Amino acid sequence: RRLGFENVTALGGDVDGLVAGITAHRETINGPLLYPSGTETSGDLEGKLNASGFEVDRIRVYDAVPLENLAADFHTKDYDSVLLYSARTASIWKKLTGDTSAHITHLCLSENVARKLPANWPKNVAKSPTDQGMRDLLESFAKAE
């Protein structure tokens, strides 16, 4: 919006919600869809949109490479919470930390992100899968402390 885009919408919080939202607005789409993405994605957005009759041009614009190990001082600090914005990040976080982060409250962008964590780990999910939703979640967590 700040850059002049007039029609900006968050749809669904996951690939299926995004496909449903785009399909619901089919009449306003007059050409191929540009899908800039990472090399690895959490779902097959391109395939699902193609199956729904859309022409999709996917361009891989980045590759996120996970760490092999956390910094040595991670285990010496007493963290209250961690922000997790994607299912992939949550999976990598679980692998890197194991049970050592089971006491930390995990603030998750969506239910899809939260599902990647063990059921017994403390977690809260943003009311909307947006940056504002995460800010609101962080603020409510900070007030509760």
Side-chain angles (χ1 to χ4, degrees), residues 11 14-23 33-37 40-58:
L11 298 170
D14 62 14
V15 169
D16 292 327
L18 187 54
V19 170
I22 291 169
T23 302
L33 299 170
L34 177 61
Y35 172 33
S37 74
E40 186 173 323
T41 61
S42 62
D44 186 13
L45 179 62
E46 180 182 21
K48 290 180 179 197
L49 287 171
N50 283 329
S52 295
F54 292 97
E55 180 184 345
V56 179
D57 293 329
R58 178 176 175 201

Side-chain angles (χ1 to χ4, degrees), residues 1-82:
R1 289 184 180 124
R2 190 177 32 132
L3 295 173
F5 292 98
E6 296 175 8
N7 188 5
V8 179
T9 307
L11 298 170
D14 62 14
V15 169
D16 292 327
L18 187 54
V19 170
I22 291 169
T23 302
H25 294 91
R26 179 184 303 275
E27 70 281 351
T28 64
I29 299 171
N30 298 315
L33 299 170
L34 177 61
Y35 172 33
S37 74
T39 300
E40 186 173 323
T41 61
S42 62
D44 186 13
L45 179 62
E46 180 182 21
K48 290 180 179 197
L49 287 171
N50 283 329
S52 295
F54 292 97
E55 180 184 345
V56 179
D57 293 329
R58 178 176 175 201
I59 300 171
R60 290 158 182 86
V61 296
Y62 69 93
D63 187 14
V65 180
L67 291 173
E68 303 256 341
N69 298 296
L70 291 173
D73 67 346
F74 167 76
H75 300 290
T76 66
K77 296 182 181 178
D78 188 26
Y79 295 100
D80 290 327
S81 61
V82 59

Side-chain angles (χ1 to χ4, degrees), residues 80-81 107 124 135-145:
D80 290 327
S81 61
L107 305 176
N124 293 316
R135 285 192 295 273
D136 292 345
L137 179 59
L138 183 58
E139 184 176 311
S140 68
F141 177 76
K143 286 179 181 176
E145 287 293 299

Side-chain angles (χ1 to χ4, degrees), residues 1 10 83-85 106-110 124-142:
R1 289 184 180 124
L83 301 169
L84 298 172
Y85 279 81
H106 297 80
L107 305 176
C108 303
L109 179 71
S110 68
N124 293 316
V125 177
K127 289 181 181 170
S128 67
T130 62
D131 283 334
Q132 185 62 53
M134 286 296 278
R135 285 192 295 273
D136 292 345
L137 179 59
L138 183 58
E139 184 176 311
S140 68
F141 177 76

